[in-house]
Amino acid sequence: MNAKSGIILWVVIHAILIVLGISVPWKMDSDLYSILPDSNEIKNVSAAEKKLSSRSMRNITVLVGHENFEVARKVAASLDSIFKGDSSIEESRLYVDEKTLNKTREFLFEHRYMIQGENVREAFFNLNHKFLELAALQKIYGSFSMANLNRLDEDPYLLGEASFDNFMKKTLTSSTHFSLRDGVLAAQDSGMTYVMWNAVLSENVSSLATDDHVIGRLNHVLDSLENANFGLRISASGVPFHSYESSSEAKREVAWISGVSIVLILLLLLYVFRSTVPILATLSTIAVAVFTALTFTWFVFGNVHVFTFVFGTSVIGVSIDYAVHFFTNWKSGLCNVRSKIFKGLLLGFLTTEVSYVALTFADFTLLRQMAVFSIVGLLSSFLTIILLFHAVFEKPRNVRTKNEVIAVKNLPLSVPKKFIKCYSNLPTWVIVLFFVFFAIALVPGLRALNIHTDLGSLYSMSDKLKAGEALNRKLNDIGISSNYFIVDGATEQDVLEQEELLTERLLQAEKKNLLKSHLAVSSFIPSQTTQRKTFENAQKLLNDDLTKEYLTSIGVQNDSLLDASLKEAPKYVGLEDLNQFPSSIRSMVEMLWVGAVENSQGKKFYSAVFPLHATDAFDAKQLAKNMPHVYVVNKMQNINESFTKISRVSLTLVGLAYIVMFIILVFVYKFTGALKILRAPILANLFAASVFGYAGIEFNFFAIVGVILTLGIGIDYALFFREGGRQKSVTALAVMLSAATTLISFGGLVYSGFTPVWTFGLAVLLGISCCFVLSPLSAKR
């Protein structure tokens, strides 16, 4: 293909890929939660679970503490006023006034015949007047009763108060150390009085740190308030604080590591080539490859996750390798560089692409997105080197014969020559013996290898956040279990009815002291079936002579108001509009109610049920057995298991890809030659895995991504040495330069304090180092 045709082909292919990408709306996904995989156990409720968690992961709590309650309250009020109208805050909560409680009382009084706790409903069913009488008399004549007695004629059994008491018992505040004081929730600990401020971040707030992030502004305000008020102690907790802290730290680390790496790589390339032309051409190749990969990935998935950039860096690594290989040969004076390096580049490109194509079959969107990004980026790089570089840089030169010595004065080849000489002088028996001992040394480490991903070990919070979380757990003794339930149904009422079947079992578990209590939507808003039964049973119980005797005993002479209330049409309460509820009830329902979700099975409705203070003996799966509409969720455990499974599947897929590569290479280099080429990257990654095993480091998903990257880049080294021919010193320089740039780029990541980053960097550092050392043995002897 001539130069003109090559440029046209390059332009056409890139134009198609880019136009496809810009034809769809652009969306960058920065939600850390969205990349997490789902286990098979919760596949059916995956969308509902994510919708539920997306709100809970936007909740933040700030505890403002001081020896003087008034100081704490004043500072909390200042904090609330600052962020009350902030566009990044969806809802902020500080004050709990009497009006809110009165609205709740009024609502529950209005629906007292439909909304009741289990004890009252049971008393209705059993026509147990005695239970209702004793409960009511205790409120009427009790010394510490706060019940409203103004409506005894209409509600002689104080069913409205009973419903209100049940609500207060079921709310989260009933199990905490906080109590209402001067309109705010306050608690005491170690001589300090803490006032609680809660907020929910808006949905559009990124989980990654940005310059104007609300958490950054909030942290600044909290620091200012502490400095301005002597003795003040402020503790913050919630997922957004952790996301901001970890991403801020990772951002700072990656910034300085990347900055240092880029400077070192540029200096290295400048030293080798003594010209800015190869450097600018290489950077342009990377920029075009990344942009093309970005736009096409957008077209395929509709969005690109920021982690795709972090772990799709093989595009940069291989782009540099291809460009370096081209310019090293070009700088040496070699004519028609493309024809000389084409075979090695083509085989390297195809074998690397096979690895990433295999990963598109993994059941993990992020991994597939990374694979597509890398596939397109590598294609762009390969075409740029083969088509564009050939047309731009390979101008006609004097044609040399085979026996002429190529001028290499412009390249620093002394070190590469010595490097090659060390390998060329090795006897065959020494090489065989080396591989035998090397393989034996790997075995103990591989046997000790732990292929597992534990999210808990990937993040270490700061001491300040750790103290804040500890204090929040101590004062807000909610006790939500790691295992909870998601209930589904065709309608809202189906969900509530399924919930009530589940809560019956939970109540039995409570009687066995397996848990303290539970949270469920049906505890606050029962199903209409239950509401109807409650109303009918109330009518039966309250329309008899025993009720009239009770009315007389408490001084109620006229039962007309009671009779009228029982004859009214029942006012059933549904979940179609949550705004109908008072804010206190609405906040509880919103925490548990997922609502309608579209999935592969069509439209369904979902809710969550949380066991509280469950013991080790509590078996959630056993409790939900034979309940097809109830799913047990343990998010952390599910994610860990899914990551571990995906890690194993990914390794299997890459293994299958290498079998395909081996078959391709056998056709080109015969059986022995194919083995020599593949042994370097395979042994290099076994070496990396073995080191992880020896060191007792968890071989997690991020380390495995590093292995996949090494397999993709490392095989090129072996192929380049195999195709180097008489230009072994030039080939050695190109490979040394490629390995050096890769090690500088990724090796620096081991200095990160962010576990996924340094684990990924360590895997690449070990794998590429070993691959570079072994690759010269692939050359013809």
Side-chain angles (χ1 to χ4, degrees):
M1 182 180 292
N2 60 42
K4 184 177 180 180
S5 299
I7 293 175
I8 293 173
L9 180 61
W10 184 90
V11 171
V12 169
I13 292 175
H14 279 78
I16 292 173
L17 293 174
I18 292 173
V19 168
L20 287 174
I22 63 177
S23 66
V24 297
W26 285 31
K27 179 184 177 184
M28 180 64 69
D29 188 1
S30 62
D31 183 8
L32 298 177
Y33 185 78
S34 69
I35 72 167
L36 301 177
D38 297 313
S39 67
N40 290 329
E41 293 182 2
I42 63 168
K43 286 288 184 185
N44 293 331
V45 293
S46 171
E49 192 277 331
K50 287 182 178 178
K51 184 178 178 181
L52 173 71
S53 298
S54 65
R55 180 176 174 85
S56 64
M57 293 182 73
R58 291 186 283 122
N59 289 333
I60 59 174
T61 298
V62 175
L63 303 180
V64 181
H66 197 272
E67 292 179 351
N68 187 328
F69 165 73
E70 292 301 330
V71 174
R73 187 181 186 280
K74 181 180 177 181
V75 172
S78 299
L79 176 64
D80 184 63
S81 64
I82 292 172
F83 289 95
K84 192 73 174 179
D86 196 297
S87 60
S88 297
I89 301 291
E90 181 179 294
E91 180 184 357
S92 66
R93 296 185 297 269
L94 173 64
Y95 299 106
V96 184
D97 56 17
E98 287 297 328
K99 290 182 180 179
T100 301
L101 294 179
N102 288 335
K103 287 180 181 179
T104 303
R105 268 196 171 95
E106 195 63 33
F107 176 85
L108 293 175
F109 173 81
E110 183 181 356
H111 300 284
R112 62 192 179 281
Y113 296 133
M114 270 67 71
I115 300 178
Q116 286 293 342
E118 297 88 359
N119 292 337
V120 174
R121 290 204 302 266
E122 187 177 347
F124 283 165
F125 178 77
N126 295 322
L127 302 179
N128 189 348
H129 288 83
K130 203 65 178 176
F131 175 85
L132 296 178
E133 287 179 17
L134 290 175
L137 290 173
Q138 187 177 16
K139 289 183 174 66
I140 295 171
Y141 300 112
S143 302
F144 302 100
S145 175
M146 302 294 291
N148 184 356
L149 306 180
N150 295 328
R151 293 177 169 176
L152 275 179
D153 290 355
E154 192 176 356
D155 184 20
Y157 286 104
L158 296 179
L159 296 177
E161 290 296 318
S163 183
F164 180 78
D165 290 346
N166 178 68
F167 168 75
M168 295 303 293
K169 176 185 176 184
K170 292 290 186 180
T171 58
L172 291 174
T173 53
S174 64
S175 59
T176 73
H177 295 281
F178 284 92
S179 58
L180 190 60
R181 182 175 176 184
D182 289 353
V184 297
L185 290 175
Q188 289 190 326
D189 181 69
S190 303
M192 304 280 283
T193 300
Y194 290 92
V195 174
M196 181 165 61
W197 177 74
N198 291 310
V200 180
L201 303 190
S202 301
E203 290 185 7
N204 60 352
V205 175
S206 171
S207 55
L208 300 179
T210 57
D211 293 337
D212 193 42
H213 199 284
V214 63
I215 295 298
R217 291 186 281 113
L218 178 57
N219 285 334
H220 177 72
V221 170
L222 296 181
D223 290 339
S224 300
L225 292 174
E226 276 191 320
N227 293 332
N229 296 272
F230 179 76
L232 192 73
R233 180 184 173 187
I234 297 181
S235 298
S237 62
V239 173
F241 285 105
H242 298 278
S243 298
Y244 181 84
E245 179 182 78
S246 60
S247 60
S248 296
E249 185 64 27
K251 187 177 178 181
R252 284 193 294 269
E253 288 180 348
V254 171
W256 76 261
I257 291 173
S258 300
V260 172
S261 299
I262 290 171
V263 171
L264 291 176
I265 289 173
L266 291 177
L267 290 175
L268 181 61
L269 293 177
L270 191 61
Y271 168 74
V272 172
F273 295 121
R274 306 290 203 279
S275 170
T276 58
V277 173
I279 297 174
L280 294 175
T282 300
L283 293 177
S284 300
T285 302
I286 294 171
V288 171
V290 169
F291 182 72
T292 306
L294 174 65
T295 54
F296 189 75
T297 305
W298 243 308
F299 172 73
V300 174
F301 294 94
N303 66 74
V304 175
H305 199 282
V306 290
F307 270 30
T308 298
F309 289 106
V310 178
F311 294 112
T313 44
S314 58
V315 172
I316 299 174
V318 179
S319 296
I320 291 177
D321 291 353
Y322 289 172
V324 163
H325 202 64
F326 177 89
F327 281 114
T328 304
N329 285 275
W330 176 76
K331 191 73 174 177
S332 73
L334 183 67
C335 279
N336 198 10
V337 175
R338 183 174 70 176
S339 64
K340 299 297 190 299
I341 68 173
F342 181 75
K343 182 179 177 182
L345 286 184
L346 177 62
L347 288 171
F349 166 72
L350 291 177
T351 51
T352 303
E353 292 286 68
V354 168
S355 295
Y356 287 113
V357 168
L359 291 180
T360 61
F361 293 96
D363 188 19
F364 184 21
T365 302
L366 178 64
L367 202 58
R368 290 201 300 267
Q369 195 176 99
M370 288 161 46
V372 170
F373 187 93
S374 299
I375 288 169
V376 176
L378 297 186
L379 174 63
S380 172
S381 299
F382 177 75
L383 293 176
T384 301
I385 304 300
I386 297 303
L387 301 178
L388 208 58
F389 278 20
H390 172 73
V392 174
F393 297 105
E394 294 203 58
K395 296 179 180 179
R397 301 185 184 186
N398 295 327
V399 180
R400 296 178 175 83
T401 64
K402 289 185 178 180
N403 296 324
E404 287 184 0
V405 178
I406 295 175
V408 291
K409 294 180 181 179
N410 295 327
L411 292 173
L413 295 176
S414 58
V415 174
K417 285 180 179 178
K418 293 178 182 178
F419 179 71
I420 289 297
K421 188 177 180 181
C422 293
Y423 286 88
S424 60
N425 294 332
L426 288 175
T428 303
W429 69 269
V430 172
I431 296 175
V432 172
L433 197 61
F434 165 77
F435 277 114
V436 171
F437 280 109
F438 185 72
I440 293 173
L442 296 179
V443 173
L446 293 174
R447 293 184 64 181
L449 189 65
N450 178 25
I451 301 178
H452 179 66
T453 301
D454 180 7
L455 286 186
S457 66
L458 297 182
Y459 166 62
S460 178
M461 69 182 79
S462 65
D463 292 338
K464 185 175 182 179
L465 265 183
K466 191 181 295 183
E469 292 291 353
L471 181 63
N472 187 36
R473 282 196 301 270
K474 181 179 180 181
L475 298 182
N476 276 309
D477 188 21
I478 299 170
I480 293 179
S481 171
S482 57
N483 290 296
Y484 67 94
F485 307 93
I486 288 184
V487 183
D488 74 0
T491 66
E492 292 98 329
Q493 294 306 313
D494 285 342
V495 175
L496 292 176
E497 288 176 14
Q498 294 297 329
E499 257 199 24
E500 288 169 345
L501 294 175
L502 174 63
T503 55
E504 286 179 11
R505 297 189 181 187
L506 288 170
L507 288 170
Q508 293 301 316
E510 290 176 22
K511 292 177 181 178
K512 296 177 183 178
N513 295 322
L514 296 177
L515 66 154
K516 184 178 178 181
S517 59
H518 65 273
L519 284 174
V521 176
S522 56
S523 298
F524 306 103
I525 310 297
S527 69
Q528 287 190 9
T529 300
T530 298
Q531 291 182 45
R532 184 175 61 255
K533 290 180 179 178
T534 304
F535 181 69
E536 290 172 354
N537 291 332
Q539 285 180 314
K540 292 178 184 178
L541 184 141
L542 301 179
N543 275 321
D544 61 9
D545 293 337
L546 290 177
T547 299
K548 293 179 180 179
E549 291 178 9
Y550 167 71
L551 292 176
T552 302
S553 68
I554 60 172
V556 176
Q557 303 298 326
N558 185 359
D559 61 356
S560 60
L561 290 177
L562 175 61
D563 290 340
S565 67
L566 292 170
K567 291 177 182 178
E568 290 179 359
K571 300 176 182 179
Y572 297 124
V573 184
L575 296 168
E576 296 80 10
D577 180 17
L578 299 186
N579 291 322
Q580 66 178 303
F581 304 130
S583 59
S584 54
I585 296 179
R586 185 175 67 248
S587 63
M588 293 301 302
V589 172
E590 286 178 340
M591 184 180 74
L592 303 167
W593 183 247
V594 180
V597 175
E598 293 281 353
N599 54 33
S600 58
Q601 299 174 337
K603 182 180 178 180
K604 280 193 171 184
F605 294 84
Y606 299 87
S607 71
V609 176
F610 294 108
L612 302 181
H613 295 281
T615 65
D616 294 337
F618 177 70
D619 189 341
K621 290 184 178 180
Q622 182 63 32
L623 186 136
K625 191 175 181 180
N626 299 323
M627 299 188 75
H629 294 278
V630 177
Y631 301 84
V632 179
V633 178
N634 185 325
K635 189 60 182 177
M636 188 65 71
Q637 180 181 329
N638 291 334
I639 291 172
N640 290 340
E641 291 175 354
S642 297
F643 261 129
T644 301
K645 180 182 176 181
I646 289 170
S647 300
R648 297 177 188 273
V649 169
S650 300
L651 288 177
T652 302
L653 289 172
V654 173
L656 293 174
Y658 257 64
I659 293 174
V660 175
M661 293 181 205
F662 178 71
I663 295 172
I664 295 172
L665 294 176
V666 165
F667 280 104
V668 180
Y669 298 110
K670 308 301 180 186
F671 185 84
T672 304
L675 280 179
K676 287 183 178 180
I677 292 171
L678 287 180
R679 71 184 175 187
I682 291 175
L683 286 174
N685 281 292
L686 291 176
F687 167 74
S690 182
V691 171
F692 271 75
Y694 274 118
I697 303 173
E698 185 181 86
F699 200 60
N700 57 39
F701 170 77
F702 305 97
I704 289 171
V705 172
V707 164
I708 294 169
L709 176 61
T710 302
L711 289 170
I713 296 177
I715 193 172
D716 293 348
Y717 300 166
L719 283 166
F720 292 157
F721 274 114
R722 183 72 180 183
E723 290 295 319
R726 295 185 309 278
Q727 298 302 314
K728 285 185 179 178
S729 58
V730 176
T731 301
L733 176 62
V735 175
M736 290 178 75
L737 200 53
S738 297
T741 54
T742 302
L743 292 174
I744 291 172
S745 299
F746 299 109
L749 297 179
V750 299
Y751 294 102
S752 171
F754 194 39
T755 302
V757 174
W758 77 256
T759 305
F760 169 70
L762 179 61
V764 175
L765 177 66
L766 294 171
I768 292 296
S769 300
C770 185
C771 199
F772 170 71
V773 172
L774 298 179
S775 291
L777 298 174
S778 304
K780 293 180 181 178
R781 296 180 63 82

